[in-house]
Amino acid sequence: FPTETNPPALWDTISDNAKWQIFGVIAFLEWWSELSTSEHKHYMAGGKPGDFPDFVSGPTGIPHPVPFNLYDPFKFSKNMSEEKKESRLRAEINNGRLAMLGIFGFLSEQVTSGSVPALSGIVKPYSGEVMAPFTHNVIGEPFGF
């Protein structure tokens, strides 16, 4: 079990196969979110932005059953008003934006000490490449980079 507590350094200890598995799940979710079915219209074709299609089994869905959906797996929001759903969607989007800003704040301080004064001395420095997810250049390797 890794003893490193620095997130970028911890990422470096993960095998490339595990990283590919993580990226594969993310790619599947991105692909699934772009689907248009008879029950779910794509946001560019009149659907609602931020509306993720449910995991359904059958000819227009996933070939095996998935017990829960990503949003509201226990159907708590089925009786919620549209206004409340809209305000919660807006809050969720804003929370995601704030989380991304926070992550980049931490990464900035780790790479360039003093770049985020509030985190100065709190975050361990990192000397690796934070924007390179793999230990070697998998995209440039076939081209000799």
Side-chain angles (χ1 to χ4, degrees):
F1 192 77
T3 58
E4 184 64 54
T5 59
N6 188 345
L10 186 60
W11 176 259
D12 289 344
T13 64
I14 298 173
S15 71
D16 282 351
N17 287 339
K19 291 175 185 176
W20 280 115
Q21 185 178 14
I22 292 167
F23 287 135
V25 169
I26 293 169
F28 168 76
L29 292 173
E30 286 293 329
W31 172 78
W32 188 258
S33 71
E34 291 294 320
L35 283 180
S36 289
T37 63
S38 56
E39 297 87 28
H40 180 267
K41 290 178 80 173
H42 190 270
Y43 65 91
M44 296 292 285
K48 287 173 39 180
D51 184 26
F52 197 86
D54 289 341
F55 292 126
V56 293
S57 301
T60 61
I62 296 178
H64 60 83
V66 176
F68 301 112
N69 287 308
L70 291 178
Y71 178 74
D72 196 21
F74 302 111
K75 308 287 185 211
F76 291 141
S77 69
K78 65 182 174 186
N79 297 326
M80 196 181 303
S81 69
E82 286 300 316
E83 294 82 23
K84 191 167 189 174
K85 286 181 185 178
E86 182 66 31
S87 70
R88 288 192 173 182
L89 173 63
R90 200 169 29 257
E92 184 67 25
I93 290 170
N94 288 334
N95 286 341
R97 290 173 179 162
L98 186 60
M100 287 186 279
L101 286 171
I103 288 170
F104 274 98
F106 277 96
L107 288 175
S108 297
E109 179 61 31
Q110 287 181 308
V111 173
T112 309
S113 294
S115 63
V116 182
L119 296 174
S120 200
I122 297 173
V123 179
K124 291 181 183 179
Y126 174 67
S127 61
E129 179 56 59
V130 294
M131 299 306 285
F134 296 100
T135 55
H136 64 280
N137 187 351
V138 293
I139 303 297
E141 193 173 275
F143 306 106
F145 296 114

